[in-house]
Amino acid sequence: MYNSDMKEGFIKDYMRSRVVARTSLYSLFRKTELFEEKNKKDCCQFSQDEAIDMYMAFKSKSIYSLLNYNSILKAYCAWRRYYHKDKVTESYDNITIELLKPCIPKDNNKFLSREEIIEIEDQLYNWTDKAILECLWEGISGPSMNDLVRINRDMVDLKEKLLYFSDGRIIKLTDRLYEFLINAFDETEYMCYGATLRVKKLIGVGRLYKERDNAYAADSDDRNFRWVYRKVQNFRDHVGIPGLTMKNIHISGMYHYLCQGMQESGLDLRSFLRSEDGKNLAGKYGFHSESYLDNLSHRFKDFV
């Protein structure tokens, strides 16, 4: 981080009185660093034009994300002014939602990028939420979200980082998903999103799916789907990205790995999908029918 000692001090103080993920603050200051180095000054000294140019370059999908960034940077300036008597800009105080609207790209890609998913995960309070989002990105869902909901510690090979399903499927976990799952299994409290801080007790240590204390619902496909749906809805509202849906997260993950596979193999879309790696990728994301090649070619042909 640019001027890291100051930023660290601010983050420590800022988190004392606010419910915010530490990683989201670090993520923001990693974003500002590029522009601080370019402008050769701390972001607390940016002019309004420099701040708007920075927000424009962020290419955020949500006006609410930019409003949140601006609120944090405004607080950072106030902190520098009060505690360190620094001369800082008032630019962030004068930035309105109307000034930020042009910073949202009009041609927003329908798919979320790897970086955007990481940024969203950094803003989530609970390991369970991070794990759900990452599972969807990695293609782990199943009919009615059954595969995702039934994940538990006994299914994970801790040494090899493999996830075993009862039907014989084996999925190699990324380091990121492995970390999220291991921490989610041990989560006993859930921090709710919203203006009022609420923490709820959870029942179900060792599983990804956990019930709230004193809550009961019969085991069913419908219950599993609704549990994941509500989770995604909650953190969609929290980060302010309307397009953050179970389906969009899932298909965005496939698009990411499809582009990666095509680039690494040098094959075009249909050729890659015909390859063994392409077939495995399609199967991982639930495309098992004989028509998978035509279905996926039609879905992605305008984006690769």
Side-chain angles (χ1 to χ4, degrees):
M1 292 185 295
Y2 191 93
N3 217 347
S4 60
D5 288 345
M6 282 291 183
K7 302 286 195 331
E8 292 281 2
F10 166 72
I11 290 171
K12 183 177 179 180
D13 279 355
Y14 190 78
M15 293 189 64
R16 286 177 180 168
S17 58
R18 293 170 178 84
V19 179
V20 60
R22 179 184 297 271
T23 48
S24 69
L25 298 175
Y26 280 105
S27 176
L28 171 58
F29 287 127
R30 284 196 298 270
K31 284 175 173 290
T32 66
E33 183 177 16
L34 176 66
F35 302 91
E36 290 169 314
E37 290 177 347
K38 177 184 175 182
N39 296 329
K40 294 182 171 54
K41 56 185 174 182
D42 193 279
C43 61
C44 71
Q45 297 171 326
F46 281 8
S47 68
Q48 183 171 303
D49 286 343
E50 288 169 332
I52 292 293
D53 286 345
M54 176 177 68
Y55 290 150
M56 187 79 72
F58 283 179
K59 295 182 178 179
S60 177
K61 288 186 180 292
S62 165
I63 191 74
Y64 301 104
S65 292
L66 292 182
L67 286 169
N68 182 51
Y69 294 155
N70 196 69
S71 176
I72 293 170
L73 293 179
K74 186 161 55 175
Y76 172 60
C77 290
W79 181 83
R80 291 284 299 264
R81 185 187 301 115
Y82 182 81
Y83 287 103
H84 297 277
K85 312 303 179 188
D86 292 329
K87 185 178 180 180
V88 297
T89 184
E90 294 184 356
S91 299
Y92 302 107
D93 298 86
N94 301 321
I95 291 177
T96 64
I97 190 169
E98 293 303 320
L99 288 173
L100 291 175
K101 282 181 179 178
C103 298
I104 305 299
K106 293 180 180 178
D107 60 344
N108 253 342
N109 194 314
K110 66 180 291 185
F111 303 114
L112 295 157
S113 69
R114 172 74 277 193
E115 291 73 21
E116 287 166 330
I117 290 293
I118 290 174
E119 183 177 316
I120 292 167
E121 289 169 346
D122 284 345
Q123 296 181 61
L124 302 181
Y125 302 153
N126 307 288
W127 289 107
T128 298
D129 294 336
K130 296 173 189 283
I132 290 171
L133 180 49
E134 193 70 9
C135 279
L136 291 170
W137 171 265
E138 290 292 329
I140 303 173
S141 56
S144 300
M145 297 292 146
N146 288 339
D147 285 350
L148 190 158
V149 170
R150 291 169 182 165
I151 293 175
N152 62 71
R153 196 193 310 274
D154 292 338
M155 296 169 62
V156 179
D157 182 325
L158 301 180
K159 183 178 180 181
E160 300 297 331
K161 297 183 180 178
L162 297 173
L163 179 63
Y164 288 86
F165 288 95
S166 58
D167 60 5
R169 284 175 296 142
I170 304 174
I171 293 177
K172 175 66 176 176
L173 298 173
T174 63
D175 290 343
R176 187 174 183 83
L177 180 52
Y178 176 83
E179 178 191 8
F180 289 169
L181 286 174
I182 294 304
N183 283 283
F185 293 151
D186 291 332
E187 206 160 44
T188 59
E189 294 181 334
Y190 188 86
M191 188 173 293
C192 300
Y193 302 100
T196 304
L197 174 61
R198 291 182 300 148
V199 177
K200 296 183 178 181
K201 294 291 185 181
L202 297 173
I203 299 173
V205 171
R207 304 179 313 198
L208 182 57
Y209 172 81
K210 294 184 179 68
E211 299 166 352
R212 297 193 305 273
D213 197 13
N214 297 323
Y216 173 77
D219 190 11
S220 68
D221 290 349
D222 183 56
R223 181 208 67 172
N224 293 344
F225 181 87
R226 285 187 288 107
W227 182 74
V228 179
Y229 177 85
R230 285 195 300 269
K231 291 287 188 185
V232 174
Q233 185 179 49
N234 286 340
F235 51 76
R236 177 175 68 228
D237 294 342
H238 174 64
V239 300
I241 301 179
L244 190 69
T245 64
M246 295 184 293
K247 183 177 181 180
N248 187 243
I249 298 165
H250 182 85
I251 206 67
S252 294
M254 183 173 188
Y255 175 70
H256 169 80
Y257 286 115
L258 180 62
C259 291
Q260 187 179 86
M262 290 172 60
Q263 183 177 11
E264 291 175 353
S265 65
L267 298 173
D268 61 30
L269 175 58
R270 290 185 71 90
S271 297
F272 176 74
L273 288 171
R274 286 194 194 99
S275 71
E276 197 63 31
D277 285 343
K279 291 177 184 176
N280 290 337
L281 180 65
K284 180 182 178 183
Y285 282 85
F287 293 90
H288 300 289
S289 69
E290 293 182 0
S291 59
Y292 85 93
L293 181 59
D294 290 334
N295 289 339
L296 293 177
S297 295
H298 178 73
R299 183 185 290 262
F300 293 114
K301 63 183 175 64
D302 294 330
F303 302 98
V304 296

